[in-house]
Amino acid sequence: MKTSAEYVESLRRMHPRVYLGGKLVESVPDDPQLQSGIRATSIAYSYAEDPALRDLTTVHSDLTGQTVNRLLTVITSKDDLLKKLELSRHLCRVVGCAQRYLTHDALNALYSVTYDTDKALGTGYHPVLLDYMRHMQREDLTIAVAMTDGKGDRSKRPSEQEDPDLYVRIVSRDSSGIVVRGAKAIVTGAPYVHDLIVMPTRSMQPDDKDYAVCFATPVDARGIEMVARVPGRTSSLPYRMQKAPHSENYAQATALVMFDNVFVPWDRVFLAGEHQFAGAVAGAFAGFHRHTCIGCRAGLGDMIIGAAASMVEANGLSVSYGHLGERMAELIRIVESFYACGIASSVNARPLPAGNVMPDEVYSNVGKQIMGERIYDMFRLAHEMAGGIVVTAPEPEDAENPAVKTRVDRYLQGRADVPTSERLKLARFLEDVTASYQGGWYSVISLHGGGSPAAETIEILRKYALDDRRALVRGLAGLEGGERPRAPNNKQSA
Ligand SMILES: Cc1cc2nc3c(=O)[nH]c(=O)nc-3n(C[C@H](O)[C@H](O)[C@H](O)COP(=O)(O)OP(=O)(O)OC[C@H]3O[C@@H](n4cnc5c(N)ncnc54)[C@H](O)[C@@H]3O)c2cc1C
């Protein structure tokens, strides 16, 4: 496996075309504006180096016969799912968004859908995927998931758009591979990964068959260019004077990734025109990824809980009583209720024909939806407990200026035994994570990342065992077709 330093070094051998801050990036690993993203992604490598975390971060691979990073494997047991959930929380309680678990979610989705496609249509995608996974595991790669298309007019299907390239599509194919064109609108971590896995974002009809395409490609393949956004708040940006205590160290870039006649050889193609399976890829990825999102945002919740509790104490108060205690309990309730859905979803996982297991979709969608909608309440509760200092703490340059430092220390003192500088640091941390550009980013990724709340509602209604409840009540009400009450089995999916 690669060390985190080797991961960064490996990026030197990649030459993606990345536009950032009005310029073409010369060298991704050397660009100061991308460092927080590279650092946040590299943590999945450094944790795998830590002997104390080996059980959580690594597994034996039957594909290569070697120990590999857990995030490059398929999940075959409930215990593995629980460990992946815990690992996601563990990574994100330090870096906020660690990116690399996307690799895992994409591989698991493709593992099951390529198997199903081959079984139904006699195609040969599953062995191609297995070969690609061997390569990924040997090279210890990180990939970004490129699923969300530009989409154009949302009321129209891919083939109905005026511009045919608003969803990524196959423009030609021959015996060596396919050529694709189009764009994926939002790809987290794209500048500093090795490969992209491109997947359809929705179900398709026969007319959309050219859009039913799924493949892996090196991020620097000819014809790929991206327009990226700076991760977090780097102080090198002229319009942001304030140093960001957390997001300057750890954050994620996103990018619009454009494909201009990109060639993909058949040994990297996992779906090419089988429109019946496009929706299955999107659905399976959502199933795995929403489960992961729960773990990630519980990690962010750990940060918010810790920061709010510390601010309350720095203010001279306590969370053990009164309205502050109520607010803290509510914050904990939100975080642990969506995390508990992640646990329930793992425990109730169902086996898939390919041999991996799918987290229970009712619980993962319920948990992801609670998280996505209540992230705003999590921030509100932390702000309420901490006070206005969250967005008004003087900048370090001013607070530490010898001309005013003594008076700033005196007038912004909270509890007597907590130095003012500590109180201000805590306030700036909470601002960075919840009330800044980065706080907004965390809100929107929680809400939309992995699919909008509407997509989760559809999935909850589609998967919930409503017929069981109907039959129960028909039985209780003495109606025809009713059932005698059965013991509940703790599984909520039909
Ligand atoms: C920070 C961040 C990181 C992300 N990272 C990735 C990534 O790494 N890879 C990736 O592939 N994606 C990524 N996403 C994209 C994410 O999956 C999408 O944002 C999400 O699926 C919503 O799609 P959209 O943004 O295009 O919104 P839209 O599809 O434009 O949706 C906007 C609203 O319109 C509604 N809507 C859309 N279409 C219809 C319709 N036909 N009928 C009725 N209502 C409709 C939606 O429910 C929603 O309420 C990321 C998103 C964010 C915010």
Side-chain angles (χ1 to χ4, degrees):
M1 288 186 294
K2 283 183 169 63
T3 63
S4 56
E6 285 166 348
Y7 152 68
V8 177
E9 207 45 43
S10 69
L11 297 178
R12 247 174 250 297
R13 296 191 286 279
M14 313 289 303
H15 303 285
R17 282 181 75 79
V18 181
Y19 290 93
L20 183 71
K23 294 192 301 250
L24 192 60
V25 172
E26 268 180 37
S27 162
V28 163
D30 299 311
D31 192 295
Q33 301 202 90
L34 291 173
Q35 293 311 304
S36 53
I38 294 170
R39 216 175 282 124
T41 303
S42 75
I43 196 163
Y45 288 91
S46 57
Y47 276 25
E49 291 171 57
D50 182 347
L53 295 175
R54 283 274 156 78
D55 184 47
L56 203 57
T57 55
T58 63
V59 284
H60 173 83
S61 165
D62 290 339
L63 283 176
T64 61
Q66 291 166 340
T67 300
V68 301
N69 195 297
R70 179 179 293 284
L71 299 177
L72 300 181
T73 60
V74 292
I75 284 212
T76 53
S77 73
K78 296 170 186 186
D79 188 50
D80 278 347
L81 266 178
L82 285 167
K83 284 193 174 138
K84 191 259 310 202
L85 188 72
E86 197 183 329
L87 175 58
S88 309
R89 184 170 186 165
H90 204 58
L91 295 168
C92 289
R93 76 203 308 245
V94 175
V95 304
C97 178
Q99 201 286 338
R100 207 177 177 206
Y101 26 69
L102 285 152
T103 310
H104 168 274
D105 300 337
L107 291 179
N108 273 276
L110 291 178
Y111 190 84
S112 71
V113 180
T114 53
Y115 180 91
D116 294 345
T117 311
D118 289 357
K119 276 266 169 263
L121 304 177
T123 46
Y125 295 124
H126 195 63
V128 171
L129 180 77
L130 296 185
D131 272 350
Y132 178 60
M133 286 181 65
R134 272 184 210 103
H135 162 70
M136 288 189 78
Q137 292 180 354
R138 287 200 186 106
E139 299 296 322
D140 206 6
L141 301 183
T142 288
I143 61 110
V145 166
M147 178 177 246
T148 306
D149 293 273
K151 293 197 265 191
D153 181 334
R154 270 66 174 153
S155 69
K156 294 183 174 164
R157 311 191 63 77
S159 57
E160 293 169 343
Q161 302 286 334
E162 268 180 41
D163 180 340
D165 294 337
L166 292 180
Y167 287 73
V168 170
R169 67 177 175 131
I170 301 171
V171 289
S172 67
R173 60 170 84 202
D174 63 21
S175 58
S176 55
I178 57 174
V179 173
V180 297
R181 197 159 63 218
K184 293 290 183 179
I186 310 177
V187 184
T188 303
Y192 37 81
V193 297
H194 304 103
D195 281 10
L196 302 170
I197 287 186
V198 174
M199 297 191 280
T201 195
R202 54 170 297 161
S203 57
M204 307 270 174
Q205 299 288 332
D207 285 350
D208 305 316
K209 69 176 175 10
D210 290 339
Y211 300 89
V213 60
C214 189
F215 58 89
T217 175
V219 74
D220 57 356
R222 183 200 287 242
I224 296 181
E225 54 180 4
M226 58 182 87
V227 180
R229 279 178 64 113
V230 173
R233 293 188 297 156
T234 54
S235 56
S236 55
L237 286 181
Y239 62 91
R240 288 186 196 127
M241 286 175 59
Q242 189 192 357
K243 278 189 194 275
H246 187 262
S247 66
E248 188 170 307
N249 289 322
Y250 302 114
Q252 291 297 342
T254 55
L256 162 69
V257 180
M258 296 170 283
F259 300 81
D260 183 16
N261 294 330
V262 176
F263 171 72
V264 186
W266 285 114
D267 63 2
R268 292 289 180 269
V269 177
F270 314 123
L271 193 76
E274 294 80 7
H275 64 89
Q276 323 74 313
F277 285 90
V281 176
F285 175 74
F288 287 106
H289 189 51
R290 288 175 193 160
H291 177 264
T292 305
C293 289
I294 288 171
C296 299
R297 246 34 93 195
L300 182 72
D302 289 337
M303 278 190 213
I304 298 170
I305 291 168
S310 306
M311 274 305 300
V312 166
E313 278 159 24
N315 288 345
L317 299 164
S318 160
V319 294
S320 59
Y321 60 88
H323 74 284
L324 293 171
E326 281 166 26
R327 300 298 176 271
M328 179 54 79
E330 190 180 348
L331 180 54
I332 293 169
R333 204 160 59 229
I334 295 170
V335 174
E336 301 307 344
S337 60
F338 68 71
Y339 192 69
C341 287
I343 295 175
S345 172
S346 311
V347 170
N348 287 333
R350 67 187 161 88
L352 294 167
N356 55 342
V357 295
M358 171 63 80
D360 176 274
E361 285 111 326
V362 169
Y363 281 119
S364 59
N365 279 280
V366 167
K368 165 66 180 51
Q369 203 172 49
I370 292 174
M371 177 270 279
E373 292 179 352
R374 300 220 63 196
I375 185 91
Y376 298 91
D377 290 321
M378 288 162 61
F379 289 177
R380 170 183 60 80
L381 291 162
H383 298 163
E384 189 178 344
M385 284 185 268
I389 190 83
V390 170
V391 292
T392 57
E395 312 289 2
E397 293 80 356
D398 296 317
E400 298 301 319
N401 181 347
V404 289
K405 179 174 167 42
T406 322
R407 294 192 298 288
V408 170
D409 281 353
R410 178 180 171 203
Y411 291 121
L412 292 182
Q413 179 77 50
R415 208 169 90 177
D417 60 350
V418 176
T420 301
S421 60
E422 230 175 72
R423 182 169 179 255
L424 298 185
K425 269 191 181 170
L426 287 168
R428 289 188 207 110
F429 178 90
L430 199 49
E431 175 184 22
D432 188 20
V433 177
T434 64
S436 66
Y437 160 76
Q438 187 63 19
W441 194 91
Y442 282 131
S443 310
V444 182
I445 197 172
S446 302
L447 192 70
H448 274 301
S452 67
E456 287 141 18
T457 299
I458 291 169
E459 215 44 26
I460 291 166
L461 293 174
R462 189 183 286 158
K463 294 279 160 42
Y464 195 72
L466 266 180
D467 282 348
D468 166 82
R469 276 56 170 181
R470 278 199 201 95
L472 168 73
V473 170
R474 288 190 76 81
L476 292 174
L479 301 173
E480 205 176 307
E483 278 184 2
R484 279 158 54 95
R486 287 182 287 132
N489 61 8
N490 290 329
K491 288 190 200 293
Q492 313 313 335
S493 295

